[in-house]
Every structure is written in structure tokens, then in C-alpha cells.
Amino acid sequence: MIEKYELNWIGKNYAKSLANNISNYHLVEDVEYNTKLENKDSGNILICGDNLEALKALSNEYKNKVNVIYIDPPYNTRKKFIYNDNFTYTDNELQAIFNCSLADLKNIKKKYSKEEISHSAWLTFMYSRLYLARELLKDDGVIFISIDENEFAQLKLLCDSIFGENNFVGTMIWRKKSGGGQTDEFFVTEHEYIFGYRKSSQFIWNDKHEKIDQNEYKYTYSDGSLYKIIKLEKWGSSSHKEDRPTMYFPIKDPDGNDLYPIAPDKKDGRWRVGKERLYNLVKNKHIHWIKDKKENRWVPYEMSFYNENQIKILKSRSILYDLAETGTATKLLTKIFNEKDIFSNPKPIELIKYLLEHTKSETVLDFFAGSGTTGHAVMQLNAEDGGNRKFICVQSPEKTNEKSYALKAGFKNVFDITKTRIEKSADKISKDFHETKVDLGFKIYTLTSI
């Protein structure tokens, strides 16, 4: 057998079968709810049911039609929140995986640790869903997945295998909290991660743009044009001669002497631009010279001229440091429901809005809808910028924990929380943006066995 580089786990073939098995479920419309005035013309969808079967049902109409998928799946923390976040295989599942009798299974289970079983069960759960999710994405689409260290490594390799390593967009680090954490064993964990994977090279990340500020241009050229200056000697990383030897060459300073670039540490440096461009700057007299009296040498700067039509690109950063925190989302939920702790560790709408603002997000899918953050964020962003984004949210009617505040508040399952949150959010948006024409309704469909 030829060995190859790949991710393996207990039950990988079983995971593939889950993804490829024909579904025995279809979507049934909630006619009474969907014909309400606020919902009858809505393009938003909320699905009640298991998300694996929902993804299969959606493939009939939405294959290659979804622009953005955002999911906040279970992290496999081995804890109980409002839902169970401790993955393992049932004996029936293990029998199907190993094709063995119940008697033989006892001996097989002794060969594996609880951690091996747990990671494998989580990978099986995620593989089948991500495999189907990829089929729903448009060629220029993208999926964003929140995760923490419990399954970080496994998820990265899993996504590489499903979406292709070359379609890895990057990892964003989101600061989820500040302060607290005194019970952490080693140091306070303040962050989580967001993986981004595109469907193909057609995906575009949209950086924000802003007009150039004329006040930045403090120098006046001989023809009256305004300009600012940019140092021509490279600074920061890769600023030495040996980093780019071809960019180490002389130009004439105002005194007629050869001037070579010097790095910040006073070693031989390199220019920021190539020979042809630098010689053109010299030829066109577009170099601004400043005498460094301490070093007794001239320092050249490139003249960058003001253009009122020029746009500055604000490159996005991989660390989302001051966006919003879990506490922000928790406070918002408390305000929406007028109850505390309805849902554990909700994501803030600011985080989802950030992802949507930088992508083509006409149709947005979240098949781990949870507290309904994605639906809320889509409607909120539409109200703010006049967009016409549509959401598809999927949430199972998983029973709320018997000791949870959600059950005490009357929510018997998570789907009811999702539905209520989106409804209440829509009411709040309509009051805050009373003249808005955006879609603030949604239709409900329930997965029902055929």
C-alpha cells in the first residue's frame, strides 16, 4: 500500500457515507407564519432541523448559489452549555464503523483513548457538513469558521482536505474578551480563531477604501502641486543589502557624490524601489532631499503627489483586536430578551458584519445559527448600508439544558431562541431605522421525514 499525506481518523469512511447518503427529509413550509404580512415577501429563511439533513435539502435549490457561509460550530470543549459540547461515538456508530458485534466492540474500545474517540467523532460530525457546505458555495464564495484550540489543528487539516490547501484565505485572531480569567491554569486566553476558505481563486476580499486627505500633503512643488514625502531607503524587515542585492546601487546626492542606501542599523541597506523607477525619479526631479546634519549625509525621499481622485486602500489586519467581545454580545442578548444568560458565549453582530462588509454577501448561510447572530447581523447591516443581503439560518430544535436560564425563561429548545432573537432584532431595527425598506421578515421551514 502506498502511503500518502492525509488526515485520518476513526470513522472517516463513515463520515463520507453520512455526507453521501440520500436524505429521507424534505423542507415543509410553515404556511401560517410565512403568510404573515412581514414575512410573505421575505427572501430570508430559518430552517428548523438537523443541519446535515438541511444542507442536503438546500442543495436542490442553492447548489453553487451561496456567497458567504459563516458558522460557529461546537468546539468540543467536553462541557455542557445550553447544548452538549462533548463529542463521542455511540456503540451503534462504532459498530457501523468497525463492522463488528457488540461483544467484539468492548475489546476494540479498549484500544482507543477517550480523546481519540472524541476528536474522531467531532471530525466525522464536521466532515459531512463541510463537504456539503462546499457544494453550496458559488465559485467566488467563501466560508468562515470560528474555532478555539480544542479542535484548531484538526479543523485546519480537515478544511485543507475538503476545500484545498491552496484555497486557504487565512486565519483571523479575534479578541473575545479582556480582563478576568483568573482561573486559567497558565495564562489568560483572550482569543479565538476564524478560518477562511474560498471555493476557488475567483473569491475577492474587499478592503475598505477612503479618499486621500489633502492635509497629508504638506509640500509644494515648483508648479504648485502638493506632495508628501516617503523615505526611499528601505526600513523595517528585509532592509539590508543582502536581502535584495540588486536594490543596492548609488544615486547622486545634491553635492554630486555617490549615495548608497543605509539600513536603520547603519549597515549597508537597500532602496525601497527598483533601479529603473529610482532613476526616473532622479531624472524627473521628483526626489525631496533632506540633510541629516548628525550623520552629515543627504537622505532622499520620494515625492508622492496629491490627486483628489486618488483612493487609499485600508488593508485589513489578521488580528481583530478592538472589534467587539463576547461580553458585548451577551449584553445585547440580555437587552433583547430582557433576561440574562439566555445563550452561552454568543458572537457579536459586529464580528459577522465585519466579514460581510469585506465580501460579496448577497446570500449568507449559517447552519449553526445558535442565538441568531448571523440573521440579526444581515438585517442590521442592510439597514445601515441599504444592502439587499439574504440569510439562510439553520438550527436544530435541540432541547435546552434542564438547568439553563433559557429553560427557566420558557425556551424549551434552541430553535425557539433563534427564532425569537431574529424577530426581536427585526422589531428593534425597524424602530431604529423607521424609514428603512430592507427585508426584516423571514420564512420558516421544518425538516420532516418523507
Side-chain angles (χ1 to χ4, degrees):
M1 181 177 178
I2 298 175
E3 293 183 339
K4 62 179 181 177
Y5 173 78
E6 64 178 341
L7 173 64
N8 276 314
W9 67 90
I10 304 162
K12 185 174 182 179
N13 288 331
Y14 176 66
K16 291 180 179 180
S17 69
L18 290 177
N20 292 309
N21 286 346
I22 296 174
S23 177
N24 293 320
Y25 291 82
H26 66 143
L27 295 173
V28 176
E29 182 178 7
D30 185 334
V31 177
E32 181 181 355
Y33 189 87
N34 295 353
T35 52
K36 289 182 178 180
L37 181 63
E38 64 271 26
N39 301 323
K40 65 184 183 69
D41 296 320
S42 178
N44 298 319
I45 295 173
L46 176 60
I47 297 172
C48 177
D50 176 74
N51 55 13
L52 178 63
E53 303 302 331
L55 290 168
K56 292 179 181 180
L58 286 169
S59 66
N60 296 324
E61 187 174 346
Y62 286 94
K63 187 174 183 178
N64 299 320
K65 290 185 178 180
V66 174
N67 303 101
V68 176
I69 298 174
Y70 169 78
I71 56 172
D72 183 19
Y75 290 179
N76 201 13
T77 60
R78 284 70 160 179
K79 297 177 182 178
K80 270 194 174 184
F81 299 109
I82 195 173
Y83 54 90
N84 186 15
D85 193 28
N86 185 9
F87 279 77
T88 189
Y89 283 129
T90 65
D91 283 350
N92 287 338
E93 287 173 326
L94 287 172
Q95 279 186 272
I97 290 169
F98 293 111
N99 190 25
C100 66
S101 67
L102 191 59
D104 291 335
L105 183 60
K106 292 181 180 179
N107 292 325
I108 292 173
K109 287 170 70 173
K110 292 177 182 179
K111 298 178 182 179
Y112 300 99
S113 67
K114 288 182 179 180
E115 290 75 18
E116 287 177 294
I117 294 292
S118 182
H119 286 304
S120 295
W122 187 88
L123 282 165
T124 291
F125 176 83
M126 291 300 296
Y127 173 88
S128 52
R129 287 155 177 80
L130 291 177
Y131 178 87
L132 294 167
R134 183 188 179 280
E135 299 304 302
L136 297 179
L137 282 176
K138 295 184 71 172
D139 287 342
D140 61 355
V142 65
I143 183 170
F144 297 106
I145 310 170
S146 286
I147 200 68
D148 71 359
E149 275 86 356
N150 286 286
E151 298 291 352
F152 176 95
Q154 288 71 240
L155 179 63
K156 176 65 172 65
L157 292 173
L158 182 65
C159 287
D160 283 347
S161 68
I162 294 174
F163 297 95
E165 190 174 353
N166 60 317
N167 287 319
F168 178 55
V169 173
T171 305
M172 285 173 271
I173 299 172
W174 169 56
R175 190 190 193 198
K176 67 176 182 178
K177 72 173 183 178
S178 54
Q182 299 305 311
T183 59
D184 288 15
E185 184 177 1
F186 300 113
F187 44 81
V188 181
T189 302
E190 294 189 336
H191 67 280
E192 289 182 4
Y193 306 94
I194 303 171
F195 284 140
Y197 279 84
R198 62 188 183 181
K199 176 78 172 281
S200 75
S201 59
Q202 293 183 34
F203 167 72
I204 297 173
W205 176 267
N206 298 315
D207 285 309
K208 286 192 173 182
H209 299 75
E210 68 177 21
K211 282 206 165 189
I212 298 295
D213 184 359
Q214 184 176 340
N215 294 324
E216 295 179 12
Y217 296 77
K218 300 180 179 180
Y219 298 92
T220 304
Y221 197 58
S222 57
D223 63 359
S225 302
L226 297 177
Y227 69 91
K228 65 180 180 179
I229 59 175
I230 306 171
K231 194 173 183 180
L232 279 163
E233 291 172 308
K234 181 75 169 67
W235 64 92
S237 62
S238 304
S239 58
H240 292 106
K241 174 184 176 181
E242 57 266 26
D243 295 318
R244 292 290 295 275
T246 60
M247 298 179 81
Y248 178 80
F249 54 86
I251 60 173
K252 296 293 184 182
D253 69 14
D255 296 328
N257 300 316
D258 284 343
L259 181 77
Y260 287 87
I262 295 177
D265 59 4
K266 308 307 177 185
K267 296 180 180 179
D268 288 342
R270 48 157 286 208
W271 299 114
R272 186 174 51 81
V273 300
K275 186 176 290 187
E276 182 178 357
R277 181 176 168 188
L278 187 50
Y279 282 172
N280 280 330
L281 290 174
V282 173
K283 178 181 176 182
N284 295 322
K285 297 182 179 180
H286 286 172
I287 292 182
H288 183 103
W289 293 94
I290 295 179
K291 189 65 175 282
D292 184 339
K293 295 180 181 178
K294 184 178 179 180
E295 299 294 332
N296 192 31
R297 70 186 293 267
W298 288 97
V299 180
Y301 293 79
E302 178 183 0
M303 296 179 181
S304 177
F305 290 90
Y306 173 69
N307 181 344
E308 63 179 6
N309 297 318
Q310 190 175 349
I311 300 296
K312 180 193 287 187
I313 298 175
L314 303 176
K315 287 296 296 181
S316 305
R317 301 292 171 179
S318 63
I319 300 179
L320 308 178
Y321 192 76
D322 292 317
L323 193 59
E325 300 180 3
T326 301
T328 310
T330 300
K331 289 177 182 177
L332 179 59
L333 276 189
T334 300
K335 189 173 182 181
I336 290 172
F337 286 99
N338 200 27
E339 295 276 356
K340 286 186 176 182
D341 301 321
I342 290 293
F343 197 88
S344 305
N345 303 313
K347 292 295 185 290
I349 60 171
E350 291 83 358
L351 179 63
I352 313 302
K353 283 167 55 182
Y354 174 84
L355 298 174
L356 300 182
E357 285 174 324
H358 289 85
T359 55
K360 183 181 179 182
S361 51
E362 296 167 357
T363 303
V364 182
L365 170 63
D366 181 353
F367 50 92
F368 288 97
S371 68
T373 301
T374 297
H376 185 172
V378 167
M379 294 187 299
Q380 182 75 29
L381 187 57
N382 282 342
E384 292 172 358
D385 67 9
N388 191 34
R389 304 169 187 85
K390 304 298 180 185
F391 67 77
I392 304 171
C393 288
V394 182
Q395 180 55 52
S396 71
E398 184 177 358
K399 291 182 180 180
T400 50
N401 191 301
E402 60 184 13
K403 296 181 180 179
S404 68
Y405 287 98
L407 185 60
K408 293 176 183 177
F411 294 102
K412 296 181 179 180
N413 62 67
V414 180
F415 176 82
D416 288 342
I417 296 175
T418 312
K419 173 178 173 287
T420 304
R421 192 268 179 84
I422 298 176
E423 288 175 333
K424 288 181 175 291
S425 300
D427 289 341
K428 180 70 164 56
I429 292 168
S430 66
K431 292 174 183 176
D432 292 344
F433 300 86
H434 57 274
E435 294 183 358
T436 186
K437 304 289 187 190
V438 300
D439 187 354
L440 295 176
F442 59 94
K443 290 182 166 65
I444 293 178
Y445 294 84
T446 301
L447 277 168
T448 306
S449 59
I450 298 173

